Amino acid sequence: MKSMNRAAPLALALPLLLSAPGLAQQAIPETIVTATRIPTEAERVPAAITVLTRADIEERGYQTLAEAMATVPGMNLVQGGGLGQQASVFIRGTASRHVLVLLDGVPVNDPSEANGAFNFGNELLGDIERIEIVRGPGSALYGSGAIGGVINLVTRRAPAGVPVQVFGDVAGGSQGTARGALGAAGSLGNWNYMVMGQGLTTQGSDATPSRFRADTKETEALRAGAGTARFGWADGTSMVEGLLRWRENQLDLDNIPNDDPNYEGNDRRWFGQLRTETRLFDGVWTTGLRAAVTEDRRRYINLPDARSSASTDDLYRGQRQTLDWGNRVRLGDVGPFSMAGLAFGVTHERESVDATSGSPGFRTVTDARASSTALHAGVQARLGDRLDLSAGLRQDLAEDYDGFLSWRAGAVLAVPEVASRLRVSAGTAFKAPSLYQRFGRIGSFFRGNPDLEAETSFAWEAGFDTDLPIFGRRDGATVGVTYFNTRTNDLINFNRAFSSLENIEKASSQGVEMELRLRPARWLETRLAWTITDARDEVTDAPLARRPRNVVSAGARLSPTDRLVIAPEVLFTGPSPDTASYDDSGNFLSGVRYNKSGTVLNLTASYRVTPAITAYAEGRNLGNSRWEPANGFVTPGRSLLVGTRFVF
């Protein structure tokens, strides 16, 4: 892939909601909410975007956010075990800490995580209406952490004109699994509401590979719950809305390379936000205020047992407070430009961490807080009848590092003569040093470095999408190809004495995302995605860990009748380099070694019994693959879940 030296991503799409989705009651599946907060057709946005709707989540049987992310082009999901276990996402070869996750437009990465990475294994999807994934740099819109991409979870909203709608889901199956959800939503005059609770319990499967001679076949259980409440008022020109979301998981854990019956964890998050929005000058200018708070609490306990006399009691507490003033202005026609729009605003964030972990002789302590303020602006417009242009700029001002100026720009050219769209974009992004990296302490021999600078990147991408007129329809097939290229600098790592941290690393990643969709019949649609990635340490030229060269996913939607939907899905992951490996006796192996490739087959079938009731069956890993996404942790074994969901 050395020859592929020019290309790549800009999640320039100024997507998702700067201040959440306007005054509309529900996001429009065919559009992306850009930084201008003007719903824009996805094909007009200069970025590689994947949107998973509520229908996709249900028809494909996704229970958790990790399951939903596994087949997205450009991504590699690495989960250390089954449901609820730690799961990391690597986008286009960048680090897992370089993925920014939003909930209704608000960052929710846990400040108490040492690197600021997000755990994708925690989130249930019962209250999620839509997931927007933008690959490439997004710091010009969202600030720190958006080097590899941005993922926005959009929660369910009240249906317009319906006073009361009751919805839910109940299911059970193998591995002692039971799942349930119940909610109500509606609109009463100017008022709207949505309340929902969901839960999942499972005995799980053995996360320790059977190749380990010390494997005891112990399973890792999960008990997860979540609740969401939204209340709002809107009169057509103004709105006020409040959202409260709670999520808590209780889970069993393992130590590599041995099962550990006394190791368990608790992970809880509270999220709340209050926002208001007003349209001025006949809707030309929309201005809004938002205040949001996220509180994370994680505790891991491991009591002494026959296998080990060690004792663990780790506690992590992190909080993020966000204040945002966002604006969008519809400029209309300006000289040679049409459909012009402007977005601008100010965002202030404050993070705090109080964490202690490790054994008494190797105790890690972080007790710190920091604030930052950002000024941001973005524009988009159409030039002529074919060319869409967009650009953005953001200045982050931090109290304990130098801050960063991010930019992005891109263009989409429509070529209707051949039913194609050409995209090109470029931009910069950054990841601020975490509070642990700046102020953490380990015993008396390690101190964080308060003088660390931000990790930075430059990325660009170029690609096209083309509809082919076959199978008797104009879009019988859609072909998409995107080449991406990312350079990251000032990456943070340990100094030579392992006494602190420094900005000493550089990395590069480049590759191609290829997608093919076929629609050979009204009742059949297939999709195939193949991502080739070459990610390397720029200093040593060694491959970066957990970035496989090849990831291929395939899926289909078969609907032979109006009531039946069958959704098979296959995920192939090629050999993946790893720097933490173990032999069959559980001995640690130094150096870079490759995990074997693996293939997982899933199948979900749904049957609409009545207009309000749908029965379904979800089969996961039907081939019972024992593939290890992370060395020492095997993918969950074969499982089957049957259930029903309803909407009244």
Side-chain angles (χ1 to χ4, degrees), residues 17 42 54 118 130 162 170-171 177 199 221-222 242 279-280 337 344 370 386 393-394 514 530 550 552 642:
L17 354 134
R54 185 71 218 162
F118 186 85
R130 176 182 175 91
V162 179
V170 60
T177 301
L222 168 68
R279 293 175 178 172
L280 306 172
F337 299 99
F344 64 93
R386 303 182 176 212
L393 191 69
R394 174 171 170 141
M514 295 171 283
W530 179 13
N550 294 285
V552 180
V642 295

Side-chain angles (χ1 to χ4, degrees), residues 71 145 151 196 209 221 255 354 358 395 434 459 579 645 648:
T71 58
I151 298 170
M196 180 183 181
N255 276 324
D354 180 8
Q395 176 66 64
S434 70
T579 54
R645 53 180 171 266
F648 297 108

Side-chain angles (χ1 to χ4, degrees), residues 26-103:
Q26 199 165 357
I28 303 172
E30 291 76 20
T31 66
I32 299 295
V33 181
T34 69
T36 60
R37 304 210 44 218
I38 301 171
T40 303
E41 293 88 347
E43 57 190 29
R44 291 181 53 203
V45 178
I49 298 170
T50 298
V51 177
L52 298 175
T53 65
R54 185 71 218 162
D56 294 328
I57 293 170
E58 292 177 348
E59 290 179 357
R60 301 177 192 176
Y62 298 147
Q63 296 187 90
T64 67
L65 182 59
E67 291 181 344
M69 294 297 99
T71 58
V72 174
M75 289 191 177
N76 182 47
L77 177 85
V78 179
Q79 186 160 19
L83 293 175
Q85 303 296 317
Q86 172 70 39
S88 301
V89 161
F90 300 82
I91 299 181
R92 290 179 167 176
T94 61
S96 59
R97 64 181 180 272
H98 294 158
V99 181
L100 182 63
V101 179
L102 314 174
L103 180 65

Side-chain angles (χ1 to χ4, degrees), residues 2-8 460-462 483-485 487 510:
K2 289 276 188 182
S3 61
M4 300 170 54
N5 228 3
R6 310 241 189 297
W460 67 277
E461 71 177 25
Y483 176 78
F484 59 87
N485 186 293
R487 293 289 186 272
Q510 55 188 326

Side-chain angles (χ1 to χ4, degrees), residues 309-330:
S309 61
S311 178
T312 298
D313 188 352
D314 301 338
L315 179 62
Y316 303 85
R317 289 179 290 201
Q319 184 182 93
R320 174 183 284 108
Q321 301 170 356
T322 302
L323 296 174
D324 178 77
W325 175 49
N327 302 267
R328 68 176 184 270
V329 181
R330 298 178 184 271

Side-chain angles (χ1 to χ4, degrees), residues 478-489:
T478 300
V479 178
V481 178
T482 301
Y483 176 78
F484 59 87
N485 186 293
T486 304
R487 293 289 186 272
T488 51
N489 297 302

